[in-house]
Amino acid sequence: MAELPVPELPPALSRCSGRFTISTLLGTEEGGRGPYAAAEGAGCDSTHLSGSTLCTRTFGYNTVDVVPAYEHYANSKGVGDGRKERPSLADLHSILKPEPGHPRVLVPDPQRSNGLPEPGLEEAAVEPGRAPAPEPVRFGWVKGVMIRCMLNIWGVILYLRLPWITAQAGIALTWLIILMSVTVTTITGLSISAISTNGKVKSGGTYFLISRSLGPELGGSIGLIFAFANAVAVAMHTVGFAETVRDLLQEHNSLIVDPTNDIRIIGVVTVTVLLGISLAGMEWEAKAQILFFLVILVSFVNYLVGTVIPATDEKQAKGFFSYRADIFAQNFVPNWRGPEGSFFGLFSIFFPSATGILAGANISGDLKDPAVAIPKGTLMAIFWTTVSYLVLSATIGACVVRDASGSLNDSVAVGSPGCEGLACGFGWNFTACAQRQSCRYGLSNYYQSMSMVSGFGPLITAGIFGATLSSALACLVSAPKVFQCLCRDQLYPVIGFFGKGYGKNSEPIRGYVLTYIIAVGFILIAELNAIAPIISNFFLCSYALINFSCFHASITNSPGWRPSFRYYSKWAALFGAAVSVVIMFLLTWWAALIAFGIVIFLLGYVLYKKPDVNWGSSMQASSYNMALNYSVGLSEVEEHIKNYRQGRFGACLVLTGPPNFRPALVDFVGTFTKNLSLMLCGNVLIGPWKQKMPESRLTADGHTKWLTKRKIKAFYTDVVAEDLRSGVQMLMQAAGLGKMRPNILVLGYKRNWRTASPQSLEDYVGILHDAFDFKYGVCLMRMKEGLNVSRVLQAHADPSASASEQQASTIFQSEQGKKTIDIYWLFDDGGLTLLIPYLLGRKKRWGKCKIRVFVGGQINRMDEERKATPEPARTPLPGTLCLSCSIKRFDDLIAPFRLNDGFKDEATVNEMRQGCPWKISDEEVDKNRAKSLRQVRLNEILLDYSRDAALIAITLPVGRKGRCPSSLYMAWLETLSRDLRPPIILTRGNQENVLTFYCQ
């Protein structure tokens, strides 16, 4: 196959997105007029076009076909958007007649715009006299993601708790705590990177990424929990800031009230100021973040410089002695103290400092290219912050002892007697305060150790302010944006109020206020070590769900899961999810149970309510894969009688036509197949294929919705055929999947068989013969008032109502009370005549009905049968017509269909019946006389015994193919079932067992 020559393109005509480079092919001449260009005004492929079809100039000639365009793959369309869609298959390969009043239109070549809107089009669309809407602020991967994530990770824990954790756990275990946390966050970062490259990313952050990639079930629960965790994180970082300010006030004896209430007062004032910055808009917030980032970098450099500066006497009194190998060795091992003195206790306090990795993803709507910015910025932020944590832990653990008094009077000569501890070798005696556990300084006691070690203490204080305030600000921005997107999707009730946006960036002001209220509530706790474990559990729960969601989408081959991020691994995601869950329970088992209880409730609510959104759920993909695997697995299962009602062994193909036309038939079958076996509602559209196919496409969804609204667990399928019989043959051969295929044909009784066209009568009986040929059982239903309610629906229907809203009530929807279900099991068909009414009687509405079984047979076999039906040869029972009258009715019934050939030979009869095979010869009447009389007598018995039954089930008589004309067979069915008030079900199995008395 020859390749198209591709000229070298200018940079402006090529676009690179991830692993794909998109280039535009242009003609060799300006305007796309190459050597093969069609003349101006030439027709489109010489095809007659409909008025809705536009003629496009592509590769130098006019054609209906269009080149790939971005807007064809975007699933959202703005109000009043006039963008054109790609032509349909009918436009491309069918001969379309031009519509009057619609001339051919030649539209501009979309190649000129590279598949994107032309410059100036949007501006031109603005109403005259109105200024164009301002462009929203957009950020790159450094400013929008990396710096934001680093600021959120470098929070209060870095400055105020990492030195203390190093003293408790030792350098070795502190590194293990850091690396464990980073392992969880890195794997989660890889999962988020995969999600962000799975499609076009809009606003809504983590919630939007997950819900659009994996569905609302997981996205909704993650979004709500993550928004709440971020709101609590605002409180944690604000309390860290307030704690530092309180310590400064305490050093100068300037407390406002007392140490605890000062934290509350300062915290509430601070979060109020941060709320004001957030409400000022994203541009101001981004500028504040840059300032905070620079302050933190300067504070780091200041700290590292301070570690190499020789310690003054004042600093030595507080436990700082510059780098010493013996201090590093002593601080390398743990020294647990206090109630938090355990590995997982410290892990729960440290972990929130690693949870800022989603700060960039949470403002996905404000990024220039989220698919590039989120992976690159997030992973770079994790790397650099991890390095900083490890360096800080190792350096401060090599410089500062665990206990120090802070008093200059504790200096002693080296080797003084009575001095215990490492500091004695440096000329300081901290023995007294260490034994009494009253030391105020040292790594184990002084939270401001970094400030004390640094070259210039106020810079560390500024770094603490920058880290705590920037983290609090990032969380304060993230939580409302995630929550706003969740509210707009209306997955959960009540919260839609918070979805409204304001300004050019659609700022979630109501969400800001809600986040502010939650933050203030947790600030009032005023204890950092109490708030941190709460956040740890919720963040770990979110990370577990994110990783599990990605793993679930991968193993289920979700059609919406195609990330282009090459470093993603489903097994790493599973490992991250498992580690997160294990750590949650090791930290606080009861908090983990509460968190998962909330997740299960939120997940169950969405699964139950089934919101009207369709984003390609991994749950749907999982259901599909499970159904596929089980269906394939059924092919390896041997058939057994006890499995008859399931799968291949008892599924029903119901000839309903449009299901809402025959609701009684649908309700009857739906009652005994619900949760037990497969039900398919079949509809044959009779007519030309081209004419009926559009009708099939338009009505299929409406019929499925009708079944769903009626709570019938069934599938709808239709076929287009030239006549009813050939259509039913198609359904019987093609319906179902593997062993999940129907083997019972259910249809309604043809009431108008005497007045209908002879061919339709022949087709109807032929369908029954075809069913037996295909080894189907047959279930035929007759009701006194008929089954087809289409005329009633059309007479009383609201023109504006859809088909799914037209719900007619039937007898099978009402309680039957203490009536009877009468079963006339006349012939051994395998037991289907007995099984269907039995299954019906197990349902609640029919549960009070008594089942009576009448078994046909000779008188001398009555001892072998449970019950016996009266013999047809008995005299007529009281209240019934005389035998001669019943026979005369039957003779009158078949009279219009008789040949009246006078018992001529077979050749003559066949010649007389040429073209009318439904006619009955005199010989056929005579040979089938006994069988005809049986139907007469059975009808008398039914009228006498089962006049007041709730339902009658009787074995369907079988007419021998080629020996029983269709009109004679229909006369039997008419005679057998006439004048009966209750519904009558005529059933014939396929002569294979559906019942067994044995366990094996």
Side-chain angles (χ1 to χ4, degrees):
M1 179 178 177
E3 294 185 359
L4 267 171
V6 182
E8 187 173 348
L9 298 172
L13 298 179
S14 295
R15 289 186 296 131
C16 184
S17 178
R19 291 180 292 170
F20 302 97
T21 301
I22 304 172
S23 303
T24 302
L25 299 174
L26 295 177
T28 56
E29 298 181 16
E30 187 178 356
R33 297 186 58 84
Y36 303 103
E40 203 67 45
C44 298
D45 290 348
S46 301
T47 303
H48 298 289
L49 299 177
S50 65
S52 61
T53 307
L54 299 177
C55 184
T56 307
R57 195 168 185 80
T58 306
F59 292 113
Y61 67 95
N62 295 338
T63 176
V64 182
D65 228 343
V66 297
V67 296
Y70 167 81
E71 58 266 21
H72 294 161
Y73 297 89
N75 63 351
S76 58
K77 182 177 179 180
V79 177
D81 187 0
R83 70 175 176 87
K84 300 173 180 62
E85 297 179 353
R86 71 168 68 88
S88 67
L89 277 175
D91 291 331
L92 294 176
H93 79 94
S94 298
I95 299 177
L96 303 176
K97 295 181 181 179
E99 296 178 6
H102 291 84
R104 296 176 184 176
V105 181
L106 185 65
V107 300
D109 190 350
Q111 297 173 14
R112 299 286 187 88
S113 63
N114 201 18
L116 299 173
E118 292 184 13
L121 283 181
E122 293 184 5
E123 288 80 352
V126 179
E127 293 181 14
R130 291 186 60 183
E135 283 292 322
V137 180
R138 295 286 185 261
F139 306 112
W141 72 272
V142 175
K143 188 176 178 181
V145 182
M146 189 185 78
I147 290 178
R148 187 176 297 275
C149 286
M150 291 178 73
L151 286 172
N152 211 5
I153 294 170
W154 283 334
V156 59
I157 304 298
L158 170 68
Y159 287 97
L160 300 183
R161 290 299 183 270
L162 187 56
W164 173 75
I165 291 172
T166 303
Q168 290 263 7
I171 296 172
L173 292 183
T174 300
W175 276 39
L176 181 59
I177 289 173
I178 294 170
L179 293 176
M180 282 179 59
S181 302
V182 169
T183 299
V184 174
T185 56
T186 301
I187 293 173
T188 307
L190 293 175
S191 297
I192 284 294
S193 299
I195 295 173
S196 67
T197 59
N198 192 52
K200 185 173 176 60
V201 179
K202 298 181 181 179
S203 61
T206 309
Y207 163 72
F208 179 88
L209 293 173
I210 295 173
S211 62
R212 268 51 175 187
S213 295
L214 307 174
E217 302 90 352
L218 294 168
S221 54
I222 292 173
L224 205 55
I225 286 179
F226 196 76
F228 178 76
N230 272 282
V232 179
V234 174
M236 183 189 75
H237 294 297
T238 306
V239 166
F241 170 81
E243 190 178 283
T244 303
V245 176
R246 188 272 318 268
D247 290 343
L248 291 174
L249 293 175
Q250 206 166 16
E251 287 181 7
H252 296 85
N253 296 318
S254 303
L255 290 176
I256 302 172
V257 180
D258 57 63
T260 301
N261 283 314
D262 279 11
I263 291 177
R264 292 170 178 153
I265 295 170
I266 296 168
V268 171
V269 172
T270 303
V271 79
T272 304
V273 173
L274 293 177
L275 176 64
I277 295 175
S278 300
L279 293 177
M282 285 296 298
E283 195 168 359
W284 281 95
E285 185 265 349
K287 290 177 181 177
Q289 295 283 31
I290 294 293
L291 176 62
F292 289 143
F293 183 72
L294 294 175
V295 169
I296 292 173
L297 289 181
V298 171
S299 71
F300 275 165
V301 173
N302 175 53
Y303 160 75
L304 292 174
V305 169
T307 60
V308 297
I309 296 175
T312 63
D313 289 343
E314 184 179 351
K315 287 187 177 182
Q316 288 185 2
K318 294 180 179 180
F320 171 60
F321 298 99
S322 295
Y323 290 107
R324 304 285 181 128
D326 44 1
I327 295 178
F328 180 86
Q330 186 183 59
N331 288 336
F332 191 78
V333 296
N335 182 14
W336 310 113
R337 300 184 186 182
E340 297 95 357
S342 65
F343 181 83
F344 286 104
L346 296 176
F347 182 92
S348 67
I349 293 173
F350 174 82
F351 187 76
S353 67
T355 57
I357 62 168
L358 301 181
N362 285 336
I363 62 162
S364 56
D366 299 307
L367 301 174
K368 292 177 182 176
D369 189 355
V372 174
I374 292 174
K376 194 172 181 180
T378 301
L379 296 177
M380 288 296 289
I382 292 174
F383 174 76
W384 288 116
T385 52
T386 301
V387 170
S388 67
Y389 280 139
L390 295 175
V391 169
L392 192 149
S393 174
T395 53
I396 204 163
C399 295
V400 184
V401 296
R402 285 188 168 105
D403 293 300
S405 64
S407 173
L408 295 174
N409 297 326
D410 286 337
S411 61
V412 295
V414 176
S416 298
C419 182
E420 299 178 0
L422 190 62
C424 297
F426 308 133
W428 293 88
N429 184 4
F430 302 137
T431 306
C433 72
Q435 290 177 346
R436 294 194 303 268
Q437 295 185 354
S438 61
C439 295
R440 292 180 56 198
Y441 294 94
L443 286 182
S444 296
N445 311 293
Y446 189 47
Y447 289 149
Q448 303 285 346
S449 295
M450 280 187 66
S451 178
M452 180 263 294
V453 170
S454 67
F456 184 60
L459 282 179
I460 296 296
T461 303
I464 295 174
F465 288 174
T468 54
L469 294 178
S470 64
S471 297
L473 189 58
C475 293
L476 187 57
V477 170
S478 298
K481 286 188 175 290
V482 172
F483 192 58
Q484 180 189 39
C485 188
L486 177 63
C487 295
R488 284 177 171 175
D489 288 334
Q490 298 181 345
L491 299 182
Y492 304 107
V494 180
I495 63 175
F497 171 80
F498 297 98
K500 183 176 175 59
Y502 297 85
K504 64 180 181 180
N505 274 21
S506 188
E507 294 293 340
I509 293 179
R510 295 174 179 177
Y512 281 131
V513 174
L514 178 63
T515 304
Y516 172 79
I517 293 171
I518 294 172
V520 168
F522 280 89
I523 286 172
L524 296 179
I525 297 175
E527 179 55 54
L528 186 63
N529 290 356
I531 299 173
I534 298 174
I535 300 173
S536 294
N537 257 290
F538 280 104
F539 273 119
L540 279 167
C541 183
S542 299
Y543 293 168
L545 287 172
I546 290 171
N547 287 308
F548 177 76
S549 301
C550 293
F551 170 75
H552 186 264
S554 299
I555 62 170
T556 56
N557 295 316
S558 176
W561 181 247
R562 299 183 183 93
S564 61
F565 185 67
R566 66 185 66 187
Y567 300 109
Y568 165 76
S569 167
K570 62 183 177 183
W571 301 114
L574 178 62
F575 176 75
V579 169
S580 299
V581 172
V582 170
I583 293 174
M584 282 180 68
F585 281 94
L586 289 175
L587 296 184
T588 315
W589 64 267
W590 56 266
L593 289 177
I594 292 174
F596 278 109
I598 295 172
V599 169
I600 292 171
F601 172 78
L602 295 174
L603 180 63
Y605 180 85
V606 175
L607 288 172
Y608 174 74
K609 296 298 285 187
K610 294 182 176 62
D612 188 19
V613 295
N614 189 9
W615 303 320
S617 169
S618 65
M619 291 292 185
Q620 296 170 356
S622 176
S623 300
Y624 173 81
N625 281 329
M626 288 177 64
L628 181 62
N629 291 333
Y630 287 140
S631 298
V632 173
L634 275 177
S635 61
E636 302 174 3
V637 177
E638 293 185 11
E639 298 186 6
H640 194 279
I641 299 168
K642 288 186 287 185
N643 293 331
Y644 185 84
R645 67 187 183 190
Q646 300 169 1
R648 172 71 181 95
F649 319 127
C652 295
L653 172 60
V654 191
L655 301 184
T656 59
N660 59 321
F661 281 11
R662 293 173 180 83
L665 195 62
V666 172
D667 291 340
F668 163 64
V669 181
T671 301
F672 69 81
T673 60
K674 187 176 183 181
N675 299 327
L676 294 176
S677 59
L678 179 68
M679 175 181 172
L680 290 171
C681 293
N683 183 18
V684 179
L685 300 174
I686 301 173
W689 185 83
K690 290 184 179 180
Q691 178 183 342
K692 290 297 180 179
M693 277 307 296
E695 179 184 341
S696 172
R697 296 192 190 101
L698 289 172
T699 59
D701 286 344
H703 295 319
T704 301
K705 289 178 181 178
W706 184 89
L707 291 168
T708 302
K709 188 171 183 179
R710 205 171 181 86
K711 298 183 179 179
I712 299 293
K713 294 187 176 181
F715 297 97
Y716 170 81
T717 184
D718 55 28
V719 294
V720 178
E722 295 298 327
D723 57 73
L724 178 64
R725 184 176 182 181
S726 59
V728 175
Q729 287 174 344
M730 293 179 196
L731 287 171
M732 286 192 288
Q733 293 179 84
L737 179 68
K739 287 196 175 181
M740 295 286 290
R741 297 181 60 193
N743 66 346
I744 301 174
L745 181 69
V746 184
L747 69 165
Y749 178 71
K750 188 174 180 64
R751 297 179 71 201
N752 66 338
W753 67 273
R754 284 170 289 181
T755 58
S757 66
Q759 186 56 49
S760 68
L761 171 62
E762 191 73 11
D763 285 348
Y764 181 81
V765 177
I767 288 170
L768 302 181
H769 289 307
D770 293 339
F772 293 134
D773 288 340
F774 288 127
K775 300 275 297 180
Y776 271 65
V778 173
C779 186
L780 193 150
M781 180 178 179
R782 182 177 186 181
M783 294 181 66
K784 188 176 183 180
E785 61 274 18
L787 293 173
N788 195 334
V789 298
S790 58
R791 292 183 180 178
V792 178
L793 289 177
Q794 292 169 2
H796 297 86
D798 181 0
S800 62
S802 62
S804 63
E805 297 173 353
Q806 299 174 356
Q807 301 284 346
S809 60
T810 68
I811 186 175
F812 296 98
Q813 292 180 315
S814 57
E815 295 286 340
Q816 297 302 311
K818 295 183 179 180
K819 298 180 182 179
T820 62
I821 298 176
D822 289 351
I823 303 172
Y824 290 83
W825 193 12
L826 305 179
F827 303 99
D828 189 356
D829 61 348
L832 187 61
T833 304
L834 187 64
L835 178 62
I836 289 179
Y838 167 74
L839 294 176
L840 192 69
R842 296 181 64 187
K843 300 303 178 181
K844 185 177 179 181
R845 292 190 180 108
W846 297 78
K848 295 180 181 179
C849 292
K850 180 182 178 181
I851 296 179
R852 300 193 299 176
V853 182
F854 301 88
V855 180
Q858 301 298 324
I859 299 298
N860 58 5
R861 293 185 55 201
M862 289 185 62
D863 291 339
E864 301 176 15
E865 310 287 354
R866 298 184 60 187
K867 293 182 181 178
T869 185
E871 282 298 304
R874 290 178 56 184
T875 56
L877 296 166
T880 61
L881 294 171
C882 65
L883 180 60
S884 59
C885 296
S886 298
I887 293 173
K888 186 177 184 305
R889 287 183 70 185
F890 176 79
D891 291 337
D892 293 341
L893 189 64
I894 64 173
F897 302 96
R898 295 189 63 169
L899 276 174
N900 296 315
D901 56 290
F903 295 94
K904 291 184 172 61
D905 59 87
E906 186 174 351
T908 304
V909 169
N910 289 337
E911 186 178 349
M912 293 177 65
R913 195 156 47 188
Q914 189 70 30
C916 46
W918 53 87
K919 290 288 188 177
I920 312 168
S921 69
D922 292 344
E923 184 178 358
E924 287 168 339
V925 173
D926 186 63
K927 283 185 177 181
N928 290 291
R929 194 68 178 175
K931 202 166 187 177
S932 300
L933 288 176
R934 184 185 298 129
Q935 315 312 320
V936 173
R937 299 296 294 131
L938 283 171
N939 178 254
E940 293 178 347
I941 293 168
L942 295 178
L943 287 169
D944 187 66
Y945 279 82
S946 304
R947 191 185 302 271
D948 298 321
L951 181 77
I952 300 172
I954 188 169
T955 305
L956 176 73
V958 177
R960 191 169 295 276
K961 190 163 52 172
R963 291 290 182 267
C964 178
S966 56
S967 54
L968 178 59
Y969 184 73
M970 290 304 299
W972 288 350
L973 301 186
E974 179 72 25
T975 301
L976 176 62
S977 59
R978 78 164 82 195
D979 299 331
L980 291 169
R981 183 197 59 80
I984 181 166
I985 311 298
L986 296 99
T987 308
R988 170 66 71 160
N990 59 4
Q991 302 303 114
E992 294 181 2
N993 285 353
V994 301
L995 303 173
T996 180
F997 296 114
Y998 299 99
C999 297
Q1000 71 274 15

